[in-house]
Amino acid sequence: MKKKLTKMITKAIQCCLDTHSLPFLEIPPILLELPKNSAHGDFSTNIAMVLASQIEKSPYEIASLIVSNMADNEHVIQKVEIAGPGFINFFIDPRVWYQTLHIIHELRRAYGSSNLGQGKRVQVEFVSANPTGPLHIGHGRGGAVGDCLANILKAVGYHVQKEYYINDVGNQIDTLGQSVFLRYKQLLGEDIDFPSTYYQGDYIRDIAKEIVSKYNRKYLNMKEEDAIPIFTSYGVKHILNSIKVDLEDFGVRFDNWYSEKELFKSDAVHSTVRGLKDKEYIYEKDGAVWFRSTRFGDEKDRVVVRSTGDTTYFASDLAYHKGKFERGFETIIDVWGADHHGYVPRIQAGIQALGYRKDALKVILIQMVNLLREGKPVSMSTRAGEFVTLRQILDEVGRDAARFIFLTRRADTPLDFDLEVAKKKTMDNPVYYVQYAHARICSVIKMASERNIAVPKPPEICTHVLNLPEELQLIKQMAIYPYIVEGSAYHFEPHRIPYYLTQLASSFHGYYNKYRILSHDSDLTQARLYLVAALKIVLENGLDLLGVSAPERM
RNA sequence: GCGCCCGUAGCUCAGAGGGAUAGAGCGUCGGACUUCGAAUCCGCAGGUCGCAGGUUCGAAUCCUGCCGGGCGUGCCA
């Protein structure tokens, strides 16, 4: 519909140019918006005002010219008005809106999908928590956003891969191995002074216990430098496994798990540094090796090889991102915690130095989650090993509520997550509001079928009896769903989907309370069933993008 | 100090490539179930969009400066 109107307007302007009723000018992109106020029509354009700034004619005059030159061959427009400072408002013929019901029923699961992405390859990397401890609530938010974003991009026609980057080498991992080893010795009766810089959580002890029960005192007699690597890899494997289980239960499944260790094995880290050296982006100072990121706008140069000879995390990241492009992704998306935002300029400098476009990388920053219970903050201290894990959230509030709440607010604003509110089944918690709309529709359809009324097929339907303002409103809302998905993809903003779904559910609940779907009027009953069945499809598709279930009963 | 993000109703937040009269939910108060699910609906109240300038036909939205909050600013990850 939008495309049709755009085309008609463009033609009308072209027509004005041809007849010289408008002076020569370049036709700017025509923006059609959906007015908030229904008195302003179904679509509205400001094109006359935009043109007025280029030529000496009043917006009203230009608008009149455009309108009088418009050819509505398909009779889709019911009425056109010029209003306000020069808006052209279009009122669409209801028959056109009824078409969208047919489209929804025909496309079903595919309704809302498009080919915006044209099959371009995109990678979304998210969560990527270090395998040194269980996932916490912040990872949950990142997981929900990354997963949903990937779903949305897929829906608009990108070829998407979801990846988890495993930082399985480096200081933190070494510390993990040492922590487990010390707990192991402690369990076997040695008197141990456990350093405060080591991982304090109970899960470390659990891993040590497991090793004791499997291997008993075997590693006690071994030299420490031989034993610790064994504890390290055992710990990593164990923790990574529980991370996978948690994510699975959270409904997040990755296409690929990428190991930093493999990056070293293939010599990618060092060869990336060498490659940069050839381009003179690398120099030595104070015994360390530096990357000249200031060349690309970073505030200072960054170390890639420490004076100890160890490469930095940043060096790995350069190699990792280079590899992403080499694997054929045109766009790569990194979902990071906002506390890493200072890292963005240097990694962007990096990919430019490696010869890729700065905007080929999009970093989505996820703000922190404030965990509350009944309005009061829940204390969390990573160092003391006291934190609320994603597992606990899943057990307490459930996957659907957790995901929906994570996705309802913009990623870049801090989020208050109240455990008690998340369990409530009221409008504090819009998950159930949306799911309830879906369940209600299922219930109505079921009731209808018990009365031997099936959801009708398109040719049997008299959609024109759907002439209530609420019904047209619902149809129009469903009609914009594909635009919502596209906009959400274009701006990398998943939160638009839950917002839309809540509005859609609200329109439905209002309609449902005011009118009856099943009545003695057979035509009307059929038409309304057809309407709500379409609504059910849209709700399902939307919830599916969020990774939230659409229950038939609740 | 410098950099990034955020300041919208009492609270939590939307506001869709500048658009017309800035919207929801919660909370207050008052109403609606013998009829398709009351996890719902309807109504009332609530605002100088942090402040001050600028850009223009038009700004919550873009630019500059200030104020307030968060985060970052390692040869840590």
Side-chain angles (χ1 to χ4, degrees):
Chain A
M1 194 59 239
K2 222 170 176 175
K3 277 178 203 150
K4 267 186 202 165
L5 274 181
T6 310
K7 213 177 274 175
M8 282 166 62
I9 297 164
T10 313
K11 265 190 190 160
I13 297 173
Q14 195 57 52
C15 190
C16 294
L17 297 181
D18 293 346
T19 59
H20 302 288
S21 47
L22 282 177
F24 175 79
L25 48 79
E26 249 183 64
I27 303 176
I30 290 161
L31 294 179
L32 279 173
E33 65 170 292
L34 311 166
K36 290 174 223 159
N37 187 337
S38 59
H40 298 145
D42 298 314
F43 293 96
S44 167
T45 182
N46 63 350
I47 189 69
M49 291 179 292
V50 174
L51 290 176
S53 63
Q54 293 182 30
I55 54 179
E56 288 187 16
K57 266 190 183 347
S58 77
Y60 189 88
E61 227 176 311
I62 297 168
S64 315
L65 275 171
I66 294 172
V67 169
S68 60
N69 278 288
M70 277 187 55
D72 180 18
N73 299 328
E74 296 175 53
H75 305 289
V76 295
I77 298 172
Q78 189 177 47
K79 186 171 63 167
V80 184
E81 283 177 358
I82 301 166
F87 291 105
I88 307 176
N89 297 334
F90 300 93
F91 295 79
I92 304 302
D93 193 300
R95 279 175 304 181
V96 176
W97 291 121
Y98 297 141
Q99 285 300 317
T100 70
L101 287 181
H102 300 319
I103 292 169
I104 294 167
H105 278 282
E106 190 187 333
L107 295 178
R108 301 198 70 86
R109 289 209 73 81
Y111 182 65
S113 302
S114 62
N115 193 27
L116 195 72
Q118 299 173 311
K120 286 184 189 152
R121 299 192 61 199
V122 176
Q123 188 206 54
V124 185
E125 180 222 322
F126 57 108
V127 185
S128 299
N130 289 355
T132 53
L135 296 177
H136 56 70
I137 189 167
H139 298 128
R141 188 179 189 185
V145 170
D147 191 47
C148 180
L149 193 57
N151 291 343
I152 291 167
L153 291 171
K154 246 180 238 177
V156 300
Y158 287 95
H159 189 274
V160 183
Q161 186 194 51
K162 303 187 221 178
E163 181 159 288
Y164 187 117
Y165 178 56
I166 311 164
N167 296 117
D168 48 6
V169 287
N171 290 339
Q172 305 212 5
I173 294 297
D174 295 343
T175 305
L176 173 73
Q178 280 153 355
S179 302
V180 177
F181 184 61
L182 279 194
R183 288 298 186 209
Y184 170 80
K185 291 211 286 191
Q186 207 171 34
L187 283 169
L188 292 173
E190 289 199 18
D191 195 15
I192 297 293
D193 184 23
F194 199 82
S196 65
T197 50
Y198 281 24
Y199 292 102
Q200 306 289 324
D202 288 339
Y203 62 93
I204 298 289
R205 219 176 260 118
D206 294 341
I207 296 168
K209 263 183 212 160
E210 213 178 276
I211 298 176
V212 170
S213 70
K214 273 192 191 166
Y215 303 104
N216 209 343
R217 310 180 68 84
K218 179 176 170 188
Y219 298 112
L220 231 39
N221 311 321
M222 206 182 264
K223 267 195 272 176
E224 280 202 9
E225 56 262 46
D226 294 332
I228 288 179
I230 297 169
F231 283 77
T232 304
S233 77
Y234 195 96
V236 168
K237 218 175 278 172
H238 184 102
I239 292 171
L240 205 53
N241 207 42
S242 68
I243 285 176
K244 285 183 181 176
V245 171
D246 287 354
L247 286 170
E248 183 76 30
D249 291 349
F250 193 47
V252 177
R253 197 169 296 162
F254 285 91
D255 300 311
N256 198 28
W257 296 74
Y258 198 94
S259 157
E260 183 180 5
K261 210 191 250 174
E262 299 301 316
L263 220 45
F264 280 97
K265 277 192 191 157
S266 65
D267 195 44
V269 179
H270 289 97
S271 79
T272 301
V273 172
R274 276 197 300 276
L276 288 170
K277 194 169 192 171
D278 295 343
K279 295 189 204 161
E280 296 180 352
Y281 292 130
I282 292 287
Y283 64 94
E284 285 187 37
K285 194 183 82 180
D286 304 331
V289 179
W290 298 70
F291 168 58
R292 213 183 289 279
S293 58
T294 48
R295 184 74 68 82
F296 301 95
D298 194 9
E299 54 187 23
K300 54 174 288 193
D301 291 341
R302 307 293 172 176
V303 170
V304 285
V305 184
R306 283 178 241 160
S307 51
T308 59
D310 294 331
T311 54
T312 58
Y313 177 83
F314 177 55
S316 297
D317 248 4
L318 287 175
Y320 176 46
H321 282 81
K322 182 166 177 266
K324 291 187 186 199
F325 288 115
E326 285 167 352
R327 282 187 274 157
F329 296 107
E330 287 181 55
T331 304
I332 58 185
I333 298 170
D334 288 1
V335 179
W336 294 349
D339 54 341
H340 289 65
H341 74 254
Y343 210 77
V344 178
R346 83 186 69 164
I347 201 76
Q348 268 175 342
I351 66 166
Q352 285 175 89
L354 292 165
Y356 303 101
R357 281 183 5 258
K358 183 181 173 186
D359 59 355
L361 168 71
K362 170 81 184 169
V363 181
I364 309 287
L365 296 172
I366 309 282
Q367 274 292 354
M368 64 186 299
V369 181
N370 302 310
L371 192 67
L372 308 171
R373 190 180 286 283
E374 287 178 331
K376 286 179 210 143
V378 177
S379 77
M380 287 203 279
S381 153
T382 314
R383 209 175 40 156
E386 293 169 8
F387 42 77
V388 175
T389 60
L390 177 61
R391 166 59 47 196
Q392 286 168 273
I393 306 281
L394 281 172
D395 292 344
E396 189 169 342
V397 314
R399 159 176 155 182
D400 284 347
R403 286 187 74 121
F404 201 93
I405 292 168
F406 285 137
L407 293 168
T408 309
R409 278 170 199 81
R410 289 175 39 159
D412 60 359
T413 66
L415 165 67
D416 288 337
F417 191 105
D418 193 311
L419 289 162
E420 295 308 319
V421 171
K423 286 189 283 187
K424 277 194 200 165
K425 293 172 177 175
T426 65
M427 253 309 261
D428 279 321
N429 204 10
V431 213
Y432 300 115
Y433 188 77
V434 176
Q435 288 184 324
Y436 186 54
H438 181 267
R440 253 185 168 171
I441 293 170
C442 292
S443 174
V444 171
I445 291 172
K446 193 176 157 219
M447 179 68 73
S449 87
E450 281 167 10
R451 296 182 194 174
N452 288 318
I453 310 167
V455 175
K457 300 275 183 291
E460 309 162 1
I461 261 288
C462 332
T463 43
H464 65 274
V465 297
L466 299 170
N467 53 18
L468 293 168
E470 287 89 347
E471 289 165 338
L472 285 169
Q473 164 70 18
L474 272 169
I475 297 171
K476 288 174 192 176
Q477 273 182 284
M478 288 191 268
I480 65 171
Y481 176 67
Y483 302 126
I484 299 292
V485 179
E486 282 187 9
S488 192
Y490 183 80
H491 295 277
F492 305 104
E493 290 180 350
H495 76 273
R496 295 183 187 201
I497 308 289
Y499 179 71
Y500 165 81
L501 290 174
T502 308
Q503 278 188 322
L504 186 64
S506 170
S507 297
F508 167 72
H509 287 309
Y511 174 66
Y512 179 88
N513 272 280
K514 198 166 168 187
Y515 305 100
R516 288 190 60 81
I517 291 158
L518 308 177
S519 67
H520 296 299
D521 181 334
S522 157
D523 283 353
L524 192 59
T525 298
Q526 296 250 313
R528 286 183 174 171
L529 264 181
Y530 193 63
L531 172 75
V532 298
L535 201 48
K536 176 177 178 293
I537 292 169
V538 178
L539 289 170
E540 265 172 355
N541 291 356
L543 286 171
D544 192 51
L545 288 181
L546 307 182
V548 172
S549 69
E552 303 204 347
R553 274 190 316 234
M554 44 192 297

